[in-house]
Amino acid sequence: TFRKCGRSSPFHIQNGVHEAGTLHPRIRLMIRGFEREDPPPKRQKAVTPVLLQDTVEYARSLSEWAKHTADLIVGGYFFAMRACEFCSTEKPGRTKKLTLGDIAFRDQDSRVVDQRDSQLDDKAMFVTICFTDQKNGTKMEKRSHRKTGQETLCPVRSWVRIVQRVRSNFMTNDDNKIPVCAYKEGHKAKEISSSQVLQLLRASCRFHDGENKYGIKVSELGTRSIRSGAAMALALQGNTSD
């Protein structure tokens, strides 16, 4: 960049403040012209609770990767996650994928319940997730949710199923470092990818005639739809996802 070379930017009008300046009027006009000529953005529609519930039910008739993906989608939805936080992506960014060690369960008295506990599903009333490093620069942020009383749309039950499925497939001394998106296909270890997340969401929407049932076309769904759906749900309750 110009600043790294010790020079001021020719695209800005310097105002006497170090590394600060106003965009040159001609450059601003050029950018506005580009924006006018650009096609409108293809925005991804937010998922709805009904779509999520139908997706979990739909996945039950499919293979293990689909069941695992459905639980990751619901688990990610309740925490307004980016896809890169709960599955693998083509271009990994700064955000760290969650591992088993980032997930903690507590009972009704707030005591920690071991992930290996055979009665985890019954004992766990709360789930806490630690986001070690996020896109916004925040590190080691912890968020919690409690049981909703529902079998399908419940963050605690979803993460219990995720953790138990991963632990049943992988037995190592370093198991806390295993990504939550890990699964096995035969004897081969794999990770749920963002393309599989999108594939399942769209397949479920198509199967349930989503355009009429949810008001969402298959092509309008993307991996960002999960986080958008969570933000929409929070907004309707008068809260914010920030």
Side-chain angles (χ1 to χ4, degrees):
T1 63
F2 291 102
R3 288 170 183 165
K4 286 185 178 179
C5 296
R7 298 172 59 190
S8 60
S9 168
F11 305 117
H12 294 78
I13 298 175
Q14 301 304 312
N15 54 17
V17 181
H18 180 59
E19 291 191 349
T22 304
L23 198 63
H24 195 285
R26 291 182 179 178
I27 300 298
R28 191 184 300 115
L29 286 172
M30 182 178 68
I31 292 174
R32 286 178 181 172
F34 289 154
E35 290 174 346
R36 284 195 297 270
E37 293 299 321
D38 283 343
K42 293 183 178 179
R43 302 194 184 280
Q44 299 175 7
K45 282 200 172 180
V47 297
T48 66
V50 177
L51 171 56
L52 292 176
Q53 189 164 357
D54 287 346
T55 299
V56 174
E57 297 292 339
Y58 175 71
R60 287 177 179 173
S61 62
L62 304 177
S63 57
E64 283 302 303
W65 77 263
K67 296 183 182 71
H68 198 50
T69 302
D71 285 328
L72 287 168
I73 290 172
V74 174
Y77 168 82
F78 276 96
F79 286 87
M81 290 186 193
R82 301 174 178 87
C84 57
E85 291 173 317
F86 64 82
C87 68
S88 62
T89 56
E90 289 186 8
K91 296 180 180 179
R94 175 175 180 170
T95 304
K96 300 292 185 182
K97 273 186 303 189
L98 294 175
T99 64
L100 294 184
D102 297 320
I103 316 298
F105 298 99
R106 294 182 181 275
D107 63 16
Q108 59 183 1
D109 297 317
S110 296
R111 294 172 299 194
V112 175
V113 183
D114 194 285
Q115 291 183 2
R116 302 174 186 81
D117 194 309
S118 60
Q119 295 181 306
L120 179 62
D121 188 43
D122 294 325
K123 291 181 179 180
M125 293 299 295
F126 304 89
V127 59
T128 299
I129 295 181
C130 179
F131 296 88
T132 56
D133 197 356
Q134 301 177 73
K135 186 178 180 180
N136 60 11
T138 305
K139 296 184 177 181
M140 306 306 292
E141 181 182 17
K142 293 183 178 181
R143 301 178 200 164
S144 299
H145 267 298
R146 67 174 302 146
K147 273 183 176 174
T148 62
Q150 297 186 40
E151 177 64 30
T152 305
L153 293 183
C154 177
V156 178
R157 292 189 186 279
S158 294
W159 283 105
V160 165
R161 288 192 293 267
I162 291 166
V163 167
Q164 288 181 331
R165 192 178 292 115
V166 175
R167 286 198 175 277
S168 67
N169 286 329
F170 300 90
M171 302 289 185
T172 70
N173 293 328
D174 234 5
D175 50 9
N176 279 340
K177 295 182 180 179
I178 300 174
V180 296
C181 58
Y183 73 105
K184 277 192 176 181
E185 192 172 271
H187 296 291
K188 190 174 182 180
K190 293 187 175 183
E191 291 185 7
I192 299 297
S193 66
S194 56
S195 61
Q196 287 174 297
V197 171
L198 180 58
Q199 178 186 340
L200 182 63
L201 275 176
R202 289 185 170 179
S204 175
C205 184
R206 187 181 297 109
F207 180 82
H208 294 98
D209 189 18
E211 189 169 358
N212 290 316
K213 187 172 184 179
Y214 322 119
I216 302 174
K217 295 180 181 178
V218 172
S219 60
E220 293 174 325
L221 284 173
T223 54
R224 291 190 184 95
S225 297
I226 302 166
R227 184 171 167 85
S228 298
M232 180 69 73
L234 287 170
L236 291 173
Q237 295 175 20
N239 297 312
T240 173
S241 60
D242 294 335

